[in-house]
Amino acid sequence: MTSKDNRADVRDFLASRRGRISPEQAGLPPGGRRRVPGLRREEVAVLAGVSTEWYTRLEKGHIAGVSEDVLVAVARALRLDDEERTYLFDLARAARPSGRLRGCRGPVPVPPQVQWMLDAMTMSAAVVTNGRWDVLADNALARALYAPMLANGTNVARYHFLDPGARHFYADWEAAATTVVALLRAEASRYPCDEGTRELVAEMGAASPEFRSRWAAHDILLRNHGTKTFRHPVAGPIELAYHSMELPTSADAPHLLTTYTAAPGSAAEDQLRFLASWATEMSDTMTPS
């Protein structure tokens, strides 16, 4: 990512967050008629304790060299949540020469021990992805659960936006799509010179209006967990709890482990058992006799 690209991200993020706060919410007088919603730049400057000229320069993307104390004050003025605050600091680090170097990383193979761990997780569908959601490793239950996606590719984000079947596979496609984009936005800020992520964002932005609108919203997500309902073509609708976490396979490894599980004794657990049996049958039919 070039410094110009970084400046655009800073500008769009700060402007979007300024636009969602009313003067009343910030404890300021309405200030007469406004052409656009939200705070004016000079009002954010007052709230952050900096000059209007300084804040205007920051919102134009000149974030390199800005002190941590000032960033904290701006984050407070814009009422950023923890994830948005982290994103702002990531943008500042990426704008520094040392930050750009730190933000570069190449592909790291998944160690065989990780695959052994996945294979041992017989009642959890488990996948290992990189930050841009390429599936790098999985277990048999994950291959069964994600069969509709894996039949056409191995990138979760691309499947969401470029495969028409995703709208049926995910019971709440809108929420799932928003989550994917928010995770990609956070990844792009942490590793701005990751060429693969940039190419993926450009590809989906050119092909999908739904992706473009979500990308422009600058929503951020660093922690990914909750429940998700799939409309599986074999098992039917199945609601699973999911959780994603970083795998410390090496200092620069971009590996994320995501597991899908069901509550003991639930109907979803029975469906997972059925999927596990189906996966075994499929594997047996594909194995040469």
Side-chain angles (χ1 to χ4, degrees):
M1 178 179 289
T2 65
S3 58
K4 182 179 180 181
D5 289 336
N6 182 264
R7 287 198 298 269
D9 283 339
V10 174
R11 180 194 65 224
D12 294 344
F13 176 65
L14 292 177
S16 69
R17 286 344 186 231
R18 175 168 59 85
R20 70 182 184 181
I21 303 173
S22 68
E24 291 81 4
Q25 289 173 320
L28 298 172
R33 187 174 181 180
R34 294 171 183 263
R35 292 180 297 172
V36 294
L39 297 176
R40 299 186 176 109
R41 286 175 174 171
E42 56 267 27
E43 291 170 332
V44 177
V46 169
L47 292 170
V50 298
S51 70
T52 300
E53 292 76 16
W54 188 94
Y55 179 76
T56 299
R57 178 175 170 79
L58 174 64
E59 196 172 290
K60 288 181 178 179
H62 299 280
I63 199 171
V66 175
S67 71
E68 180 175 325
D69 289 344
V70 171
L71 288 177
V72 168
V74 169
R76 187 184 306 114
L78 293 175
R79 299 191 170 194
L80 303 186
D81 62 27
D82 290 343
E83 294 185 331
E84 291 169 332
R85 185 182 299 237
T86 298
Y87 178 66
L88 180 63
F89 275 78
D90 283 341
L91 289 174
R93 279 189 290 269
R96 304 173 190 134
S98 60
R100 287 191 203 96
L101 292 174
R102 186 191 67 83
C104 297
R105 62 180 183 181
V108 179
V110 176
Q113 294 89 339
V114 171
Q115 185 62 60
W116 304 343
M117 176 184 70
L118 298 181
D119 292 337
M121 301 168 69
T122 56
M123 279 304 294
S124 292
V127 297
V128 173
T129 62
N130 55 22
R132 59 179 176 270
W133 293 93
D134 294 316
V135 176
L136 306 178
D138 52 26
N139 64 3
L141 194 50
R143 290 190 292 273
L145 177 64
Y146 269 109
M149 183 194 81
L150 296 174
N152 298 304
T154 58
N155 182 271
V156 176
R158 186 178 284 112
Y159 175 69
H160 269 81
F161 290 96
L162 303 185
D163 191 319
R167 293 180 181 271
H168 177 76
F169 183 58
Y170 295 102
D172 190 346
W173 181 88
E174 294 283 346
T178 298
T179 295
V180 166
V181 177
L183 290 166
L184 273 180
R185 173 63 80 177
E187 174 73 6
S189 71
R190 287 192 298 257
Y191 301 98
C193 62
D194 186 315
E195 186 174 348
T197 300
R198 287 158 45 202
E199 290 176 351
L200 178 65
V201 168
E203 174 192 357
M204 294 195 297
S208 170
E210 292 92 346
F211 178 86
R212 286 198 301 274
S213 64
R214 285 171 170 81
W215 189 256
H218 278 265
D219 290 333
I220 311 300
L221 188 62
L222 299 176
R223 291 171 289 277
N224 189 27
H225 57 84
T227 60
K228 191 175 293 184
T229 300
F230 303 89
R231 296 191 187 102
H232 196 275
V234 175
I238 176 171
E239 181 178 309
L240 299 173
Y242 70 92
H243 193 100
S244 294
M245 63 203 84
E246 292 189 4
L247 280 179
T249 50
S250 73
D252 297 321
H255 297 152
L256 298 168
L257 171 65
T258 301
T259 60
Y260 294 89
T261 55
S266 66
E269 185 184 45
D270 291 338
Q271 289 174 288
L272 281 183
R273 293 187 190 279
F274 172 77
L275 275 178
S277 175
W278 177 70
T280 300
E281 292 176 5
M282 292 296 294
S283 176
D284 290 343
T285 59
M286 297 175 63
T287 302
S289 58

